[in-house]
Amino acid sequence: GALPISPLSKQIDDRVIDHYSRVVVKDMNKWGVCAMNDFLGPEKGSLVLDEVLNMYSAGLFRDGQLVSQRGGAGDLRRAIRGDQITWLDGKEKECPNIGLLISQVDAIILRANKMLSNGKMGQYTINGRTKAMVACYPGNGSRYVKHVDNPNHDGRCVTAIYYLNRDWNVEQDGGLLRIFPEGWKDSVANIEPIFDRILFFWSDRRNPHEVQPAYRTRYAITLWYFDADERNMACQRYQQERKLSQSKNT
Ligand SMILES: COc1ccc2cc(-c3cnc(C(=O)NCC(=O)O)c(O)c3)ccc2c1
Ligand SMILES: [Mn+2]
């Protein structure tokens, strides 16, 4: 199905953004992965968490769709990905603090833009993103099998995930995000989904990853950023396919 899309927000607190964008550019161009702790600070982080908990208890989350229909409903789908999700554009009046988080991440990505190499001696031109996906793994062993976010050039170049889980203990609670970066030979990135941590990684085949079974409710907010050229190509291909299928049906 189509990915929900939102316009980028504008700039805020400059020095902080400048520092974070330098770290992101350096780590992404070197490792393809960038994790930073204490992103919003405890107060703002707690306000974001409270807004997510309120939405969850209001029953606004739905079972995460599968891109391919093979999952179908019920157990097989849950075996592939057990998360429940809801989409936000960040302007909702019920969650101003999620809106603040989104504008912070937008500001970092906009500042890092044109400095993020696309791995082929070129740069990405990031000009948009999906809506924010708020995800909850309910903690009944729910997991997400190893996958690539953007295996077929749908335009997404950077995945940004903000974690909200206080006192998370991976030994007991599971829910580790394990990334298998292509260029890292046999070593992997083990990312614990801890409170107020933000993570960036290339969305394409360079970063297969899995969410290991979670035994405690696990929350995260994900944004996917588009590269202008790849997105344009993807939209053109989609238009062609639609025309073809319509001509076949007529
Ligand atoms: C067509 O509609 C949709 C709607 C939502 C979709 C969500 C995902 C997705 C992808 N990756 C992860 C992940 O890797 N999480 C890592 C972590 O939480 O640490 C995740 O939780 C969710 C994929 C495809 C989707 C298609
Ligand atoms: Mn993923």
Side-chain angles (χ1 to χ4, degrees), residues 101-160:
L101 164 72
I102 294 172
S103 44
Q104 287 268 62
V105 184
D106 281 352
I108 290 168
I109 290 292
L110 276 181
R111 182 68 60 89
N113 200 3
K114 303 233 192 299
M115 292 185 274
L116 291 168
S117 79
N118 59 15
K120 301 185 281 293
M121 295 306 293
Q123 264 74 35
Y124 284 121
T125 302
I126 295 175
N127 68 339
R129 60 164 165 79
T130 64
K131 289 190 173 190
M133 181 188 78
V134 188
C136 168
Y137 285 80
N140 49 2
S142 49
R143 56 178 297 195
Y144 200 136
V145 297
K146 192 172 180 177
H147 66 282
V148 169
D149 282 351
N150 172 19
N152 304 316
H153 312 290
D154 65 22
R156 290 178 288 167
C157 60
V158 175
T159 301

Side-chain angles (χ1 to χ4, degrees), residues 69-224:
Q69 295 318 321
R70 71 193 155 95
D75 299 345
L76 180 58
R77 191 204 59 75
R78 259 186 293 282
I80 297 169
R81 56 174 293 200
D83 57 342
Q84 299 164 317
I85 62 170
T86 188
W87 292 97
L88 295 175
D89 65 19
K91 301 213 174 356
E92 291 82 1
K93 59 186 181 320
E94 302 81 12
C95 26
N97 294 287
I98 294 177
L100 173 104
L101 164 72
I102 294 172
S103 44
Q104 287 268 62
V105 184
D106 281 352
I108 290 168
I109 290 292
L110 276 181
R111 182 68 60 89
N113 200 3
K114 303 233 192 299
M115 292 185 274
L116 291 168
S117 79
N118 59 15
K120 301 185 281 293
M121 295 306 293
Q123 264 74 35
Y124 284 121
T125 302
I126 295 175
N127 68 339
R129 60 164 165 79
T130 64
K131 289 190 173 190
M133 181 188 78
V134 188
C136 168
Y137 285 80
N140 49 2
S142 49
R143 56 178 297 195
Y144 200 136
V145 297
K146 192 172 180 177
H147 66 282
V148 169
D149 282 351
N150 172 19
N152 304 316
H153 312 290
D154 65 22
R156 290 178 288 167
C157 60
V158 175
T159 301
I161 309 180
Y162 180 72
Y163 293 110
L164 289 155
N165 308 293
R166 290 192 188 291
D167 311 320
W168 190 270
N169 176 335
V170 166
E171 282 63 44
Q172 290 158 358
D173 305 329
L176 182 80
L177 169 69
R178 175 162 291 169
I179 310 178
F180 305 79
E182 213 175 46
W184 292 24
K185 294 190 183 57
D186 298 338
S187 56
V188 295
N190 294 321
I191 311 289
E192 303 190 1
I194 62 171
F195 178 74
D196 202 22
R197 166 173 283 177
I198 188 150
L199 171 73
F200 298 89
F201 57 89
W202 301 131
S203 309
D204 63 15
R205 293 171 188 263
R206 284 172 283 179
N207 286 320
H209 55 283
E210 66 184 10
V211 177
Q212 295 183 345
Y215 298 102
R216 191 181 134 202
T217 315
R218 178 189 185 279
Y219 296 101
I221 299 176
T222 301
L223 296 161
W224 281 283

